[in-house]
Amino acid sequence: MTKENIGIPVNPPEKECQDDVCVWHGKLPVRGRTFRGIVISSKARNTVVIEWGYTHLVPKYERYERRKSRVVAHNPACMKARDGDEVIIAECRPLSKTKHFVVVAVTKRKIEKAEFRVAEIEAALDAGKAKPDADKVRDTSKKARQETSQEIG
Ligand SMILES: [Zn+2]
């Protein structure tokens, strides 16, 4: 059963999961800090790497330098965060040597390139401005295939 309140003002997920280490469906309490960032790696099982940037003042030069933070977070099945997604993570008990954060919400899903082009073509068709460009469509599917095979390889 999905909890209604986890102490952080975010919307609960639509899906349910069986993960014991889930803020919404398991027994994992959160406390401490929360961050918003982009998933840069989802290769490891149930784990994602989150990155976000911030500016740091260098007093000597009276200018800001760009810095970034990377944090490892648990990714329960109900979140299913993947590369490029924007997520909110919350601090929890240590789950492993490097994991002490958990994904509590996915705020933005990454739109795949192929998906985006198809949406673009459909929008153009709806507007009645353009006829379907066969070359464009073929090109899109080819690209998508290449990307999928790269992922598998
Ligand atoms: Zn869950």
Side-chain angles (χ1 to χ4, degrees), residues 2 4 12 45 50 67 70 75 81 113 132:
T2 310
E4 281 182 9
R45 193 170 156 265
I50 317 293
R67 289 186 177 189
R70 276 185 189 188
N75 183 20
K113 262 186 206 165

Side-chain angles (χ1 to χ4, degrees), residues 17 22 25 78:
C17 74
C22 177
H25 313 108
C78 59

Side-chain angles (χ1 to χ4, degrees), residues 44-90:
R45 193 170 156 265
N46 294 340
T47 305
V48 285
V49 181
I50 317 293
E51 186 180 278
W52 66 92
Y54 61 96
T55 52
H56 173 257
L57 179 69
V58 184
K60 182 178 173 185
Y61 299 110
E62 294 180 350
R63 275 160 177 77
Y64 290 92
E65 65 180 6
R66 275 195 291 244
R67 289 186 177 189
K68 58 190 177 186
S69 282
R70 276 185 189 188
V71 158
V72 179
H74 185 71
N75 183 20
C78 59
M79 295 296 157
K80 219 182 170 189
R82 277 173 293 180
D83 288 18
D85 291 351
E86 188 189 273
V87 297
I88 294 174
I89 53 171

